């Protein structure tokens, strides 16, 4: 009888132990992993070149005459519109010349009116009448020149753009055709790079480019390409200029840019990039990664991969941009495992 009781007690204790183990296994703590969200990128076989941002066009603005600068109304980096006043020259002499020219014009017109009466009456020789008309024409020409000289004491912007350099200041003497300021058109800029002669043949006017400017942490897609036709005698490189839209005026001349030419065999911009170490291989040779769903559970996702770029690899199929991939700790995972990250 005692043996029967001991056997029943043992069975009850064993059942209780199994139940506790089952409860413990059902409440297993989530596995901690590190994850990364699938991000867009670009993969290509081309080398990155270092280039320099240039203005689309530079215009040197100068006075047509000589004189002392009275006022400078712009500063370097200031945006100006076509026709905007930039500087003024001392116009005292020009005004005096204009006053004299106006007086000569008045005198010539008065003489013309008086001699016209004699000419109409036939009492004025034709030679004298022609002489009077010539003096009126000369006075008119001198008046127009004087007015232009006065107007030229005001320097206005011939084009719209950004003031690049201010070369003369107030109080200094400006000489004819001496640049006072330079106006830069940066609505579109050009990125200049030097490409070795062995690689320039693979670049055409429409080759896609990706441009990154560290100074403003900005990335741009290049436009039409202009290829130089004469190599540098020392470096045997050709100058390539890439047109880049610059509507926000953030790209400024002199900024350093990293330029990547996208070859025909390159993956398109916007490819899905993940760390190389996240890709695992099954026994049958197929590739997969561990993804983490919105419910924080792990799932095995089969992927097709493309080219690598540094520590990252392009995923052609099997993932979407925004998916979360386990990059560390995935060795402990199985299908449906709860994770924390």
């Amino acid at each position: 009888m005692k043996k029967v009781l001991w056997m029943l007690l043992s069975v009850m204790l064993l059942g209780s132990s199994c139940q506790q183990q089952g409860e413990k296994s059902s409440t297993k703590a989530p596995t901690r992993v590190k994850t990364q969200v699938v991000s867009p990128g670009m993969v290509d076989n081309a080398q990155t070149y270092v280039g320099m941002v240039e203005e689309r066009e530079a215009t040197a603005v100068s006075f047509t005459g000589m004189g002392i600068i009275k006022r400078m109304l712009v500063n370097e980096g200031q945006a100006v519109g076509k026709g905007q006043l930039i500087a003024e020259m001392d116009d005292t002499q020009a005004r005096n010349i204009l006053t004299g020219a106006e007086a000569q014009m008045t005198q010539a017109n008065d003489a013309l009116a008086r001699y016209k009466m004699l000419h109409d009456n036939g009492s004025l020789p034709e030679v004298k009448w022609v002489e009077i008309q010539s003096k009126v024409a000369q006075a008119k020409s001198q008046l127009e020149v004087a007015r232009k000289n006065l107007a030229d004491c005001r320097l206005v912007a011939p084009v719209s753009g950004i003031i690049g350099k201010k070369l003369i200041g107030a109080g200094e003497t400006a000489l004819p055709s001496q640049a006072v300021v330079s106006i830069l058109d940066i609505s579109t800029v050009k990125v200049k790079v030097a490409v070795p002669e062995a690689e320039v043949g693979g670049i055409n006017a429409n080759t896609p480019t990706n441009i990154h400017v560290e100074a403003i942490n900005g990335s741009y897609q290049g436009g039409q390409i202009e290829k130089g036709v004469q190599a540098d005698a020392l470096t045997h490189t050709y100058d390539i200029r890439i047109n880049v839209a610059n509507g926000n005026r953030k790209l400024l001349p002199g900024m350093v840019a990293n330029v990547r030419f996208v070859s025909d065999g390159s993956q398109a911009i916007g490819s899905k990039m993940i760390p190389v170490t996240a890709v695992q291989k099954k026994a049958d040779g197929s590739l997969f990664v561990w993804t983490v769903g919105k419910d924080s559970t792990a799932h095995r996702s089969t992927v097709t991969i493309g080219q690598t770029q540094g520590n990252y690899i392009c995923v052609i199929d099997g993932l979407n941009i925004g998916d979360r991939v386990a990059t560390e700790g995935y060795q402990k995972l199985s299908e449906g495992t709860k994770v924390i990250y």
Side-chain angles (χ1 to χ4, degrees), residues 250-280:
K250 287 186 177 181
L251 290 173
L252 300 176
M255 286 184 173
V256 177
N258 293 318
V259 180
R260 183 178 289 273
F261 293 93
V262 184
S263 61
D264 293 338
S266 301
Q267 298 292 337
I269 296 168
S271 298
K272 293 159 282 191
M273 306 298 295
I274 61 173
V276 174
T277 55
V279 181
Q280 306 298 307

Side-chain angles (χ1 to χ4, degrees), residues 101 139-149:
K140 183 178 180 181
S141 177
Q142 291 175 358
L143 179 61
E144 291 176 352
V145 171
R147 284 173 176 169
K148 186 178 186 306
N149 287 340

Side-chain angles (χ1 to χ4, degrees), residues 66-221:
M66 176 178 173
I68 298 175
I69 303 294
K70 183 170 64 175
R71 289 197 304 162
M72 284 294 299
L73 303 174
V74 294
N75 296 309
E76 292 183 0
Q78 178 180 338
V80 295
K82 183 177 181 179
Q84 181 175 335
L85 183 63
I86 294 176
E88 287 184 321
M89 184 185 291
D90 186 358
D91 60 359
T92 303
Q93 184 178 2
R95 288 188 179 278
N96 291 336
I97 294 174
L98 177 60
T99 300
E102 288 174 340
Q104 289 182 356
M105 187 75 249
T106 301
Q107 184 180 6
N109 285 331
D110 181 64
L112 180 66
R114 286 186 288 107
Y115 280 105
K116 186 176 185 304
M117 296 177 61
L118 296 176
H119 178 266
D120 292 345
N121 293 333
S123 57
L124 182 69
E126 191 65 28
V127 174
K128 187 66 175 178
W129 175 243
V130 172
E131 180 182 345
I132 295 299
Q133 289 180 316
S134 297
K135 287 183 177 180
V136 171
Q138 290 175 2
K140 183 178 180 181
S141 177
Q142 291 175 358
L143 179 61
E144 291 176 352
V145 171
R147 284 173 176 169
K148 186 178 186 306
N149 287 340
L150 180 60
D152 287 344
C153 290
R154 291 166 52 88
L155 186 64
V156 298
V159 294
S160 298
I162 303 292
I163 300 296
K165 285 190 176 295
K166 190 166 64 172
L167 304 171
I168 299 180
E172 297 184 76
T173 300
L175 300 176
S177 302
Q178 178 187 11
V180 176
V181 297
S182 62
I183 299 179
L184 309 179
D185 180 1
I186 59 171
S187 57
T188 299
V189 296
K190 297 181 180 182
V191 177
K192 175 185 173 183
V193 295
V195 178
E197 60 181 9
E199 301 171 21
V200 73
I203 300 173
N204 57 54
N206 298 311
T207 298
T209 54
N210 184 45
I211 299 167
H212 182 75
V213 180
E214 189 67 30
I216 57 174
N217 193 27
S219 295
Y220 299 82
Q221 299 306 314

Side-chain angles (χ1 to χ4, degrees), residues 19 21 34 38 52 64 66 68 74 96 99 125 161 169 193 202 222 247 254 263 273-274 281 321 328 335:
Q19 183 178 0
Q21 288 180 1
K34 285 188 177 181
V38 179
M52 189 77 69
T64 57
M66 176 178 173
I68 298 175
V74 294
N96 291 336
T99 300
V193 295
S263 61
M273 306 298 295
I274 61 173
K281 183 181 287 188
I321 292 176
E328 291 185 27
E335 185 66 28

